Amino acid sequence: MLARPLRLPTVPPGEVCPVSGVTERSPATQKSAARGLGAGPLYPITFYIGEDATLRLGTQTPGPDGLYQLKVVWASTGAYQGPAVVRAGRLDGAGRGFVTLSYDQGASRGDAVIFTLQGAPADFPSQTSVSGPGCYAYQIEGVDLSEVIVFRVMT
């Protein structure tokens, strides 16, 4: 899965970011983990990324690497068991994005992170790092799953 290419759509600069929709899921570990972006069994929950698929930078300042690090918790329904690789990228211009797990730094492989799903509902505290405002997407790859979730970043 790590060898699979990052295949994200492009969005011309200035065009509307075609964000992914919100889906209600069950089972979930808690009520706040039931709503998330995309349709897959692994998803970023809207409690952090917002019902409008928007991460807000607010008063955040970029780190030494020039990236903004924002908390985004991921969840899974338990409908899938096995590894899932998540990568991120910017769709409307230069820049980058990636996800890291808060409690498993060893899960990161360059700009990819490997979630290990156990076949039961779970939450995964994590951070999404981005270059700045713009249109971004997560690409999620598993043994038998593939999904692109589009979100935007605003000030």
Short mmCIF file of all heavy atoms in Angstrom, two decimals, residues 36-73:
data_model
loop_
_atom_site.label_atom_id
_atom_site.label_comp_id
_atom_site.label_asym_id
_atom_site.label_seq_id
_atom_site.Cartn_x
_atom_site.Cartn_y
_atom_site.Cartn_z
N GLY A 36 -18.35 11.79 10.46
CA GLY A 36 -17.05 12.00 9.86
C GLY A 36 -17.14 12.23 8.37
O GLY A 36 -18.20 12.04 7.75
N LEU A 37 -16.03 12.64 7.79
CA LEU A 37 -15.97 12.90 6.35
C LEU A 37 -15.77 11.61 5.59
O LEU A 37 -15.05 10.71 6.04
CB LEU A 37 -14.83 13.86 6.03
CG LEU A 37 -14.91 15.25 6.64
CD1 LEU A 37 -13.69 16.08 6.21
CD2 LEU A 37 -16.19 15.95 6.26
N GLY A 38 -16.36 11.54 4.40
CA GLY A 38 -16.17 10.40 3.53
C GLY A 38 -17.12 9.26 3.85
O GLY A 38 -18.01 9.38 4.68
N ALA A 39 -16.90 8.15 3.16
CA ALA A 39 -17.81 7.00 3.29
C ALA A 39 -17.14 5.78 3.88
O ALA A 39 -17.81 4.81 4.20
CB ALA A 39 -18.37 6.65 1.90
N GLY A 40 -15.82 5.80 3.99
CA GLY A 40 -15.10 4.60 4.39
C GLY A 40 -15.17 4.27 5.85
O GLY A 40 -15.70 5.04 6.66
N PRO A 41 -14.61 3.12 6.19
CA PRO A 41 -14.60 2.70 7.59
C PRO A 41 -13.57 3.43 8.44
O PRO A 41 -13.61 3.36 9.65
CB PRO A 41 -14.26 1.21 7.50
CG PRO A 41 -13.47 1.09 6.24
CD PRO A 41 -14.06 2.12 5.29
N LEU A 42 -12.63 4.18 7.81
CA LEU A 42 -11.66 5.02 8.52
C LEU A 42 -11.89 6.45 8.05
O LEU A 42 -11.93 6.70 6.85
CB LEU A 42 -10.23 4.58 8.19
CG LEU A 42 -9.10 5.41 8.82
CD1 LEU A 42 -9.12 5.30 10.35
CD2 LEU A 42 -7.75 4.97 8.27
N TYR A 43 -12.04 7.37 9.00
CA TYR A 43 -12.46 8.72 8.64
C TYR A 43 -12.05 9.75 9.69
O TYR A 43 -11.94 9.43 10.87
CB TYR A 43 -13.98 8.77 8.47
CG TYR A 43 -14.72 8.26 9.69
CD1 TYR A 43 -15.17 9.13 10.67
CD2 TYR A 43 -14.97 6.91 9.87
CE1 TYR A 43 -15.84 8.68 11.79
CE2 TYR A 43 -15.64 6.44 10.99
CZ TYR A 43 -16.08 7.33 11.95
OH TYR A 43 -16.73 6.87 13.06
N PRO A 44 -11.81 11.01 9.27
CA PRO A 44 -11.58 12.09 10.22
C PRO A 44 -12.94 12.56 10.76
O PRO A 44 -13.88 12.76 10.00
CB PRO A 44 -10.92 13.19 9.37
CG PRO A 44 -11.39 12.94 7.98
CD PRO A 44 -11.63 11.45 7.87
N ILE A 45 -13.04 12.68 12.09
CA ILE A 45 -14.32 13.06 12.67
C ILE A 45 -14.56 14.57 12.57
O ILE A 45 -13.62 15.36 12.62
CB ILE A 45 -14.48 12.55 14.13
CG1 ILE A 45 -13.50 13.21 15.09
CG2 ILE A 45 -14.34 11.04 14.18
CD1 ILE A 45 -13.76 12.88 16.55
N THR A 46 -15.81 14.94 12.44
CA THR A 46 -16.16 16.35 12.23
C THR A 46 -16.04 17.18 13.50
O THR A 46 -16.07 18.40 13.41
CB THR A 46 -17.58 16.49 11.66
OG1 THR A 46 -18.51 15.89 12.56
CG2 THR A 46 -17.68 15.86 10.29
N PHE A 47 -15.88 16.57 14.65
CA PHE A 47 -15.70 17.34 15.87
C PHE A 47 -14.49 18.26 15.74
O PHE A 47 -14.47 19.36 16.28
CB PHE A 47 -15.52 16.39 17.07
CG PHE A 47 -15.46 17.09 18.39
CD1 PHE A 47 -16.61 17.51 19.02
CD2 PHE A 47 -14.24 17.34 19.02
CE1 PHE A 47 -16.56 18.17 20.26
CE2 PHE A 47 -14.17 17.99 20.23
CZ PHE A 47 -15.34 18.40 20.85
N TYR A 48 -13.46 17.83 14.99
CA TYR A 48 -12.25 18.64 14.81
C TYR A 48 -12.17 19.29 13.44
O TYR A 48 -11.73 20.42 13.31
CB TYR A 48 -11.00 17.79 15.05
CG TYR A 48 -10.86 17.40 16.49
CD1 TYR A 48 -11.34 16.18 16.94
CD2 TYR A 48 -10.30 18.27 17.41
CE1 TYR A 48 -11.25 15.84 18.28
CE2 TYR A 48 -10.20 17.94 18.74
CZ TYR A 48 -10.69 16.72 19.17
OH TYR A 48 -10.61 16.39 20.50
N ILE A 49 -12.55 18.57 12.40
CA ILE A 49 -12.38 19.10 11.04
C ILE A 49 -13.60 19.93 10.62
O ILE A 49 -13.54 20.68 9.66
CB ILE A 49 -12.08 17.98 10.03
CG1 ILE A 49 -11.42 18.56 8.78
CG2 ILE A 49 -13.31 17.16 9.72
CD1 ILE A 49 -10.74 17.55 7.92
N GLY A 50 -14.68 19.83 11.35
CA GLY A 50 -15.85 20.65 11.09
C GLY A 50 -16.84 20.00 10.15
O GLY A 50 -16.48 19.27 9.23
N GLU A 51 -18.12 20.29 10.39
CA GLU A 51 -19.20 19.77 9.56
C GLU A 51 -19.08 20.26 8.11
O GLU A 51 -19.61 19.66 7.20
CB GLU A 51 -20.56 20.16 10.13
CG GLU A 51 -20.89 19.51 11.45
CD GLU A 51 -21.36 18.08 11.31
OE1 GLU A 51 -21.99 17.74 10.30
OE2 GLU A 51 -21.08 17.28 12.24
N ASP A 52 -18.39 21.38 7.93
CA ASP A 52 -18.20 21.94 6.59
C ASP A 52 -16.88 21.51 5.96
O ASP A 52 -16.42 22.10 4.99
CB ASP A 52 -18.30 23.46 6.63
CG ASP A 52 -17.25 24.11 7.53
OD1 ASP A 52 -16.52 23.38 8.25
OD2 ASP A 52 -17.15 25.34 7.53
N ALA A 53 -16.26 20.45 6.52
CA ALA A 53 -15.00 19.90 6.01
C ALA A 53 -13.89 20.95 5.97
O ALA A 53 -13.10 21.00 5.04
CB ALA A 53 -15.19 19.27 4.64
N THR A 54 -13.84 21.80 7.01
CA THR A 54 -12.86 22.88 7.06
C THR A 54 -12.03 22.83 8.34
O THR A 54 -12.58 22.81 9.44
CB THR A 54 -13.57 24.25 6.98
OG1 THR A 54 -14.34 24.30 5.78
CG2 THR A 54 -12.59 25.39 6.99
N LEU A 55 -10.72 22.82 8.16
CA LEU A 55 -9.80 23.01 9.27
C LEU A 55 -9.48 24.50 9.34
O LEU A 55 -9.17 25.11 8.32
CB LEU A 55 -8.50 22.24 9.04
CG LEU A 55 -8.50 20.77 9.36
CD1 LEU A 55 -7.18 20.13 8.93
CD2 LEU A 55 -8.75 20.54 10.83
N ARG A 56 -9.58 25.05 10.52
CA ARG A 56 -9.33 26.48 10.69
C ARG A 56 -8.00 26.69 11.40
O ARG A 56 -7.76 26.12 12.46
CB ARG A 56 -10.46 27.12 11.45
CG ARG A 56 -11.74 27.12 10.59
CD ARG A 56 -12.89 27.84 11.20
NE ARG A 56 -14.09 28.06 10.47
CZ ARG A 56 -14.61 27.41 9.45
NH1 ARG A 56 -13.96 26.43 8.92
NH2 ARG A 56 -15.77 27.71 8.91
N LEU A 57 -7.15 27.53 10.81
CA LEU A 57 -5.84 27.80 11.39
C LEU A 57 -5.93 28.67 12.63
O LEU A 57 -5.11 28.55 13.54
CB LEU A 57 -4.92 28.47 10.36
CG LEU A 57 -4.58 27.64 9.13
CD1 LEU A 57 -3.75 28.45 8.15
CD2 LEU A 57 -3.87 26.37 9.52
N GLY A 58 -6.93 29.56 12.67
CA GLY A 58 -7.10 30.44 13.83
C GLY A 58 -5.82 31.21 14.11
O GLY A 58 -5.27 31.86 13.23
N THR A 59 -5.32 31.10 15.33
CA THR A 59 -4.11 31.82 15.73
C THR A 59 -2.86 30.96 15.62
O THR A 59 -1.80 31.36 16.09
CB THR A 59 -4.26 32.34 17.17
OG1 THR A 59 -4.45 31.22 18.04
CG2 THR A 59 -5.42 33.30 17.30
N GLN A 60 -2.99 29.78 15.02
CA GLN A 60 -1.83 28.89 14.85
C GLN A 60 -0.72 29.59 14.07
O GLN A 60 -0.98 30.40 13.19
CB GLN A 60 -2.24 27.64 14.07
CG GLN A 60 -3.13 26.70 14.80
CD GLN A 60 -2.35 25.77 15.72
OE1 GLN A 60 -1.14 25.60 15.59
NE2 GLN A 60 -3.05 25.20 16.67
N THR A 61 0.49 29.27 14.41
CA THR A 61 1.64 29.73 13.64
C THR A 61 2.36 28.49 13.12
O THR A 61 2.31 27.42 13.74
CB THR A 61 2.61 30.57 14.50
OG1 THR A 61 3.03 29.80 15.63
CG2 THR A 61 1.94 31.85 14.97
N PRO A 62 3.02 28.63 11.97
CA PRO A 62 3.72 27.46 11.43
C PRO A 62 4.91 27.08 12.30
O PRO A 62 5.51 27.92 12.96
CB PRO A 62 4.16 27.91 10.04
CG PRO A 62 4.10 29.39 10.05
CD PRO A 62 3.13 29.79 11.09
N GLY A 63 5.21 25.78 12.28
CA GLY A 63 6.37 25.28 13.01
C GLY A 63 7.65 25.56 12.25
O GLY A 63 7.64 26.18 11.18
N PRO A 64 8.79 25.08 12.77
CA PRO A 64 10.08 25.30 12.12
C PRO A 64 10.14 24.75 10.68
O PRO A 64 10.90 25.26 9.86
CB PRO A 64 11.07 24.55 13.01
CG PRO A 64 10.39 24.40 14.32
CD PRO A 64 8.92 24.37 14.03
N ASP A 65 9.31 23.75 10.39
CA ASP A 65 9.28 23.17 9.04
C ASP A 65 8.36 23.95 8.10
O ASP A 65 8.18 23.58 6.94
CB ASP A 65 8.85 21.71 9.09
CG ASP A 65 7.48 21.50 9.71
OD1 ASP A 65 6.81 22.48 10.12
OD2 ASP A 65 7.05 20.33 9.79
N GLY A 66 7.74 25.04 8.61
CA GLY A 66 6.85 25.86 7.79
C GLY A 66 5.43 25.34 7.71
O GLY A 66 4.59 25.91 7.02
N LEU A 67 5.13 24.26 8.44
CA LEU A 67 3.80 23.65 8.39
C LEU A 67 3.00 23.96 9.65
O LEU A 67 3.55 24.09 10.74
CB LEU A 67 3.92 22.13 8.22
CG LEU A 67 4.64 21.65 6.97
CD1 LEU A 67 4.78 20.14 7.00
CD2 LEU A 67 3.92 22.11 5.72
N TYR A 68 1.70 24.06 9.46
CA TYR A 68 0.76 24.22 10.57
C TYR A 68 0.33 22.82 11.01
O TYR A 68 -0.04 22.00 10.18
CB TYR A 68 -0.48 24.99 10.12
CG TYR A 68 -0.20 26.41 9.71
CD1 TYR A 68 0.20 26.72 8.41
CD2 TYR A 68 -0.35 27.45 10.62
CE1 TYR A 68 0.45 28.03 8.03
CE2 TYR A 68 -0.10 28.77 10.25
CZ TYR A 68 0.30 29.04 8.95
OH TYR A 68 0.54 30.34 8.57
N GLN A 69 0.35 22.57 12.31
CA GLN A 69 -0.04 21.27 12.84
C GLN A 69 -1.37 21.42 13.57
O GLN A 69 -1.47 22.17 14.54
CB GLN A 69 1.04 20.74 13.78
CG GLN A 69 0.82 19.32 14.20
CD GLN A 69 1.95 18.83 15.08
OE1 GLN A 69 2.17 19.36 16.16
NE2 GLN A 69 2.67 17.83 14.62
N LEU A 70 -2.40 20.72 13.08
CA LEU A 70 -3.75 20.85 13.62
C LEU A 70 -4.27 19.50 14.11
O LEU A 70 -4.08 18.48 13.43
CB LEU A 70 -4.68 21.39 12.53
CG LEU A 70 -4.22 22.72 11.93
CD1 LEU A 70 -4.82 22.93 10.56
CD2 LEU A 70 -4.58 23.84 12.86
N LYS A 71 -4.92 19.51 15.26
CA LYS A 71 -5.47 18.27 15.80
C LYS A 71 -6.66 17.82 14.97
O LYS A 71 -7.59 18.58 14.71
CB LYS A 71 -5.90 18.48 17.26
CG LYS A 71 -6.42 17.21 17.90
CD LYS A 71 -6.69 17.40 19.37
CE LYS A 71 -7.10 16.10 20.00
NZ LYS A 71 -7.28 16.22 21.44
N VAL A 72 -6.61 16.57 14.55
CA VAL A 72 -7.72 15.93 13.85
C VAL A 72 -7.77 14.49 14.35
O VAL A 72 -6.81 13.74 14.18
CB VAL A 72 -7.53 15.92 12.32
CG1 VAL A 72 -8.65 15.15 11.64
CG2 VAL A 72 -7.45 17.33 11.77
N VAL A 73 -8.86 14.11 15.00
CA VAL A 73 -9.02 12.74 15.47
C VAL A 73 -9.68 11.92 14.37
O VAL A 73 -10.64 12.36 13.74
CB VAL A 73 -9.84 12.69 16.78
CG1 VAL A 73 -10.12 11.26 17.19
CG2 VAL A 73 -9.10 13.44 17.89
#
